[in-house]
Amino acid sequence: MTSTSFRKWMAVVLLFSVSWATAQVTENNQDDFNEFMYKRGSAYRSASGTPGPDYWQNRADYSLQVRLDEEKHVLAGTVQISYTNNSPEPLPFIWIHLEQNRFTPDSRGTLTTPISGNRYSGDTDGGYTIRNVQAQLSKRGSTPNSRYLINDTRMQVFFSEPIPAKGGEASVSMDFEFKIPEKGMDRMGRLSVEDGTIYALAQWYPRVAVFDDVVGWNIEPYLGAGEFYLEYGNFDYKVTVPYDHIVVGSGALQNPKEVLNKELQERMELAASSDTTVYLVRPDEVLHPELTRPKQEGSLTWHFRIENARDVAFATSRAFIWDAAAIRLPSGTLAMAQSVYPKESDGPEAWGRSTEYSKASIEHYSQKWYEYPYPVAVNVAADINGMEYPGLNFCSYRSREGSLWGVTDHEFGHNWFPMIVGTNERRYAWMDEGFNTFINHYSSEAFNNGEYGSNLNQTRRYLNWLTSEDREGIDTYPDVANTANLGMIAYMKPAMGLLVLREYILGEERFDNAFTAYIDAWAYKHPQPSDFFNRMENVAGENLSWFWKSWFYGTGNIDLAIERVVTYGNDQVIILANKGEVPMPVKLGLTYEDGSQESLMLPVEIWQRGDRWNYRHSGTKKLTRVEIDPDKILPDVNIANDSWPTNIYK
């Protein structure tokens, strides 16, 4: 060996004596890759992420009749709940949500609202009046019971004897009424416009809480940010309103001949098969009910029905313009998109395109993820920024153009999460808001060749929040989270996580296979976070504990770095470092001196033994540039160390 060769050899030895040791000997990161929560299977929930052989859930079917008092802004009526106990234990009582009790001065929600207020502020002159409660087993000879307790937004109804396990049936009935709040926590309420009042009715009837195999009764109070968790069932409901009102609701209208005149019935029939928007009530007909309604005095009762749903909502007003178009579903069946809005919202740059947006949104999600199950999809203009219910949205009457597309698409996306996949919104907001924000990205890119587009894939727009000392984890319960953080921890960060999983970690085909398998497995059921994690891992064939733990259950960040590139014989060695708290596969974009380019992916397992890794790149072509994540998918918090050479090494 010549002296020159010896010096070169020693230089390489000295270089790697430090970097090799720190990369592969002195540190062990196995804890990052270990299971972080109980994900083992049981008879109820399998380890593969599907419902187990003994999975059960209870059922609640509803029959409702209500009447609107427009002078007093009061809704009053009766509810009959048919409850089926499929659980393995008898139930001496059931819990019912009374969310209208949030609108009282001494409710927990009112008392936990900051003095300055927030999105979830609401009126305080409302609340339920409950009368004539009766609970009774369905079996012959059972004794009715009228005993109940009400505490804040929860009602406990007792039976004379327990509802039998594994299929026992019972009924609960009561009369109720409440003053409709003007400000209903941005989820329901009433809006005065020039031609009348728009009533957006949600959380309007006593609703049975979920009893499940995880915590038993899910009966957290209704405070504000936490939304809903409800059982599935069939709903049959009738709404009596002044004759000149239009009513739209979750489900199919059962009595069109009783509430629509012949002309309006013909228009609806035309709209049912039309790919373009058809007026049902034209702008110039709003104040002329004689042109569209079958009677000109008194009241009309509108009858709706929806099956296998977890909730219903409706809207009523004499101020509605009403239009509709057909929704074409992959199976060949048709549903109907409808929009109702006042003249203040009319116009081709505003709600005049609402039905077009609704149709496109429903058709996209049906084609890509799971077919839409309901007969109608109604978009209602109201003084609500955006809120979803099965088959019906409330969106801001002020929204226009891209903002109207965005809110319409987002709220209809919620029909998949949590209306079809029935997660617990009050605890796990990220499992509906985040999943929905994720699928919204692809629908927005697809709509009208990207007319409005999406910036979710520009993940580095959010680095200021990701590095903020005030950030919180995705797993923070919504009612506990700082309101300023809710948009990130419920919507954006989980959506970015799914984007990274699809576009960077798994690839589109493996992700889509797993994600659709999750939807198929848990449609009309109640998955937990561990069920989602298990299903994704089993179908994709990848242990992703490191990802769930660091991104969904932590506040750490991604910071992958190239420390340098050195020559090693005829090869080059790329010295990498993980300077953040989130391990991640390393996608490298390589540029050669002849101008050619290629990419390669190093697996996440390179970080199991430490926070540095040396990759030996063999080949006859010399590297002139190396870049981590060339497509800029990752929200890497330090872009200065993502490429080689940097200015310091030039």
Side-chain angles (χ1 to χ4, degrees):
M1 181 182 294
T2 67
S3 60
T4 301
S5 298
F6 179 77
R7 287 194 297 271
K8 289 182 177 179
W9 179 81
M10 284 300 296
V12 171
V13 170
L14 290 171
L15 172 66
F16 285 98
S17 65
V18 176
S19 60
W20 190 271
T22 56
Q24 296 166 333
V25 177
T26 62
E27 193 175 355
N28 186 311
N29 289 341
Q30 190 56 47
D31 284 348
D32 291 341
F33 293 83
N34 291 337
E35 296 293 336
F36 71 102
M37 66 187 305
Y38 189 89
K39 292 166 59 181
R40 299 175 188 174
S42 70
Y44 301 138
R45 298 168 188 270
S46 75
S48 66
T50 62
D54 294 332
Y55 175 82
W56 57 268
Q57 67 187 50
N58 292 348
R59 178 183 178 90
D61 298 298
Y62 295 82
S63 177
L64 294 141
Q65 296 186 47
V66 291
R67 176 180 291 272
L68 173 68
D69 183 333
E70 196 172 21
E71 291 185 4
K72 297 179 179 179
H73 303 303
V74 167
L75 192 73
T78 63
V79 58
Q80 174 88 24
I81 304 169
S82 299
Y83 188 76
T84 305
N85 176 25
N86 293 315
S87 81
E89 61 182 283
L91 299 177
F93 57 81
I94 66 172
W95 281 101
I96 292 176
H97 294 290
L98 299 179
E99 277 103 353
Q100 287 301 317
N101 283 353
R102 168 63 172 80
F103 303 108
T104 61
D106 58 352
S107 73
R108 293 191 186 191
T110 298
L111 296 175
T112 55
T113 299
I115 293 174
S116 59
N118 56 32
R119 176 183 177 183
Y120 308 108
S121 301
D123 291 1
T124 58
D125 60 347
Y128 275 119
T129 299
I130 301 289
R131 302 185 184 92
N132 300 324
V133 176
Q134 182 166 296
Q136 187 170 6
L137 299 192
S138 298
K139 69 178 184 178
R140 183 177 299 175
S142 64
T143 303
N145 195 328
S146 59
R147 181 185 172 216
Y148 65 92
L149 295 173
I150 293 178
N151 180 271
D152 193 52
T153 59
R154 293 86 55 85
M155 179 181 190
Q156 190 176 25
V157 177
F158 297 89
F159 295 87
S160 297
E161 56 183 299
I163 310 172
K166 298 183 178 180
E169 297 179 346
S171 65
V172 175
S173 62
M174 68 188 79
D175 300 332
F176 64 92
E177 69 175 67
F178 63 92
K179 181 180 179 182
I180 301 167
E182 183 176 7
K183 299 297 181 183
M185 295 172 57
D186 207 21
R187 295 203 172 107
M188 52 87 64
R190 51 189 163 91
L191 167 68
S192 294
V193 293
E194 184 174 337
D195 291 339
T197 300
I198 295 173
Y199 295 92
L201 275 303
Q203 294 83 250
W204 55 278
Y205 59 95
R207 308 189 295 179
V208 177
V210 172
F211 182 75
D212 63 24
D213 62 287
V214 181
V215 300
W217 286 107
N218 291 261
I219 195 61
E220 288 86 357
Y222 182 41
L223 300 178
E227 293 186 20
F228 312 111
Y229 187 34
L230 301 164
E231 297 287 15
Y232 288 92
N234 297 335
F235 292 78
D236 190 286
Y237 63 106
K238 297 177 179 179
V239 181
T240 300
V241 295
Y243 75 93
D244 55 353
H245 275 226
I246 291 292
V247 182
V248 290
S250 301
L253 180 64
Q254 301 296 296
N255 61 337
K257 293 182 180 180
E258 296 175 16
V259 295
L260 313 176
N261 70 5
K262 185 176 180 181
E263 173 68 21
L264 191 43
Q265 293 175 53
E266 290 175 352
R267 293 177 189 177
M268 186 165 282
E269 185 176 351
L270 175 63
S273 59
S274 174
D275 288 319
T276 58
T277 301
V278 173
Y279 274 123
L280 302 179
V281 176
R282 299 188 180 103
D284 59 355
E285 295 174 330
V286 169
L287 297 180
H288 296 282
E290 69 275 7
L291 300 176
T292 55
R293 292 344 170 263
K295 59 185 291 189
Q296 303 307 310
E297 61 181 0
S299 61
L300 289 171
T301 297
W302 298 62
H303 182 191
F304 296 89
R305 181 174 174 81
I306 189 170
E307 297 181 349
N308 210 14
R310 50 179 261 168
D311 196 8
V312 288
F314 71 92
T316 180
S317 180
R318 62 170 51 85
F320 281 151
I321 301 167
W322 191 12
D323 62 37
I327 298 171
R328 299 191 181 275
L329 300 173
S331 65
T333 59
L334 296 176
M336 183 183 288
Q338 300 179 17
S339 298
V340 288
Y341 48 95
K343 66 182 181 184
E344 288 87 344
S345 305
D346 194 14
E349 295 181 347
W351 278 76
R353 294 187 69 184
S354 167
T355 292
E356 175 196 353
Y357 296 160
S358 304
K359 170 183 168 67
S361 180
I362 297 291
E363 289 178 347
H364 172 86
Y365 298 129
S366 296
Q367 185 67 45
K368 190 162 184 64
W369 304 117
Y370 190 96
E371 184 162 310
Y372 184 71
Y374 302 124
V376 298
V378 186
N379 208 20
V380 178
D383 192 17
I384 297 165
N385 285 314
M387 189 60 201
E388 74 283 351
Y389 302 92
L392 183 143
N393 303 332
F394 299 133
C395 296
S396 174
Y397 76 107
R398 298 187 181 93
S399 290
R400 301 168 57 85
E401 298 180 317
S403 67
L404 180 57
W405 158 260
V407 69
T408 299
D409 182 52
H410 179 80
E411 305 311 336
F412 276 129
H414 274 304
N415 278 277
W416 282 261
F417 309 102
M419 304 309 166
I420 294 173
V421 181
T423 51
N424 186 342
E425 299 176 274
R426 198 156 288 179
R427 289 191 175 201
Y428 310 117
W430 60 272
M431 293 187 75
D432 69 292
E433 297 295 359
F435 287 25
N436 187 25
T437 302
F438 166 72
I439 65 173
N440 297 159
H441 168 70
Y442 298 100
S443 60
S444 292
E445 288 197 327
F447 174 66
N448 207 14
N449 296 315
E451 179 178 354
Y452 299 120
S454 168
N455 60 22
L456 179 65
N457 57 353
Q458 299 173 27
T459 58
R460 299 184 183 188
R461 293 164 55 99
Y462 305 99
L463 296 189
N464 284 341
W465 185 88
L466 290 170
T467 56
S468 167
E469 292 183 357
D470 296 327
R471 68 187 184 275
E472 296 173 282
I474 289 172
D475 58 318
T476 309
Y477 285 3
D479 281 321
V480 176
N482 185 322
T483 305
N485 285 331
L486 196 60
M488 283 300 300
I489 65 175
Y491 296 74
M492 298 309 300
K493 190 181 179 187
M496 284 192 287
L498 295 182
L499 181 85
V500 167
L501 192 59
R502 184 177 193 265
E503 306 291 344
Y504 188 90
I505 298 172
L506 294 178
E508 294 181 6
E509 186 172 7
R510 291 172 72 199
F511 178 93
D512 289 357
N513 287 342
F515 199 57
T516 53
Y518 165 70
I519 297 172
D520 289 342
W522 291 99
Y524 313 108
K525 297 181 177 68
H526 298 312
Q528 297 291 308
S530 58
D531 299 315
F532 170 67
F533 299 150
N534 283 340
R535 196 66 189 139
M536 293 298 293
E537 291 184 3
N538 276 265
V539 179
E542 197 76 34
N543 185 341
L544 296 165
S545 287
W546 55 273
F547 181 60
W548 312 129
K549 176 163 54 176
S550 59
W551 190 258
F552 286 82
Y553 282 73
T555 58
N557 282 307
I558 301 168
D559 184 7
L560 302 176
I562 301 173
E563 295 201 325
R564 66 187 71 186
V565 177
V566 299
T567 301
Y568 181 55
N570 293 325
D571 302 329
Q572 290 173 285
V573 176
I574 303 170
I575 302 173
L576 301 167
N578 179 17
K579 297 179 179 293
E581 301 85 3
V582 181
M584 191 64 57
V586 181
K587 184 175 184 179
L588 295 174
L590 308 177
T591 303
Y592 299 100
E593 59 184 350
D594 64 359
S596 61
Q597 296 180 325
E598 65 176 337
S599 63
L600 65 91
M601 180 75 87
L602 302 180
V604 71
E605 287 83 1
I606 65 175
W607 307 122
Q608 283 182 316
R609 297 184 183 90
D611 293 333
R612 282 177 173 75
W613 186 258
N614 303 317
Y615 171 69
R616 181 173 177 173
H617 185 65
S618 302
T620 59
K621 296 189 291 186
K622 183 179 179 181
L623 289 168
T624 59
R625 179 173 173 79
V626 181
E627 184 178 12
I628 292 174
D629 184 24
D631 299 321
K632 301 294 182 289
I633 300 297
L634 300 178
D636 192 303
V637 297
N638 185 1
I639 62 175
N641 60 19
D642 286 354
S643 61
W644 173 88
T646 60
N647 291 332
I648 192 171
Y649 294 118
K650 286 185 178 179

